[in-house]
Amino acid sequence: QVQLVESGGGLVQPGGSLRLSCAASGNIFSIYYMGWYRQAPGKQRELVAGITTGGSTDYADSAKGRFTISRDNAKNTVYLQMNSLKPEDTAVYYCNVIKLAPQRTDYWGQGTQVTVSS
């Protein structure tokens, strides 16, 4: 079992910044991917950004140029630096981890609320 602890969400003004963190613990051997999804009420959950152990990254079009995902493999932690935040970024953000051994398994954090409002 893998446990994910998310932090960094909150209320921020438009144009402001937040840094989300997600730390994985437990049976963390063979984690391949760590990423961030978000979901607004009435909307489908969508990928914001993801990163593999090798450092390959993927971003939603809406996040490119504003958000940066990074990973500290030694700490089993993934970060999402969010700059120039917009009201449309308001959502619950979920950490996602993919483990390859003993089998391919997806894990999800409890979610952290990000609200961008003046």
Side-chain angles (χ1 to χ4, degrees), residues 20-110:
L20 305 183
S21 299
C22 175
S25 62
N27 296 325
I28 50 80
F29 178 76
S30 194
I31 288 178
Y32 165 71
Y33 167 93
M34 302 184 78
W36 291 94
Y37 286 71
R38 67 186 180 190
Q39 187 169 26
K43 304 292 185 179
Q44 287 187 270
R45 187 173 298 186
E46 64 175 353
L47 174 70
V48 180
I51 186 168
T52 68
T53 303
S56 298
T57 58
D58 187 37
Y59 293 92
D61 288 341
S62 61
K64 291 179 180 177
R66 299 188 299 126
F67 295 1
T68 302
I69 190 168
S70 61
R71 178 176 180 173
D72 186 334
N73 289 334
K75 296 181 178 180
N76 297 301
T77 300
V78 64
Y79 307 93
L80 184 66
Q81 179 67 45
M82 304 188 293
N83 299 325
S84 302
L85 283 162
K86 306 173 181 179
E88 50 262 45
D89 295 317
T90 297
V92 177
Y93 284 69
Y94 296 91
C95 181
N96 171 233
V97 167
I98 299 176
K99 186 179 176 182
L100 298 182
Q103 61 187 23
R104 188 185 187 280
T105 307
D106 285 77
Y107 298 89
W108 294 91
Q110 79 284 353

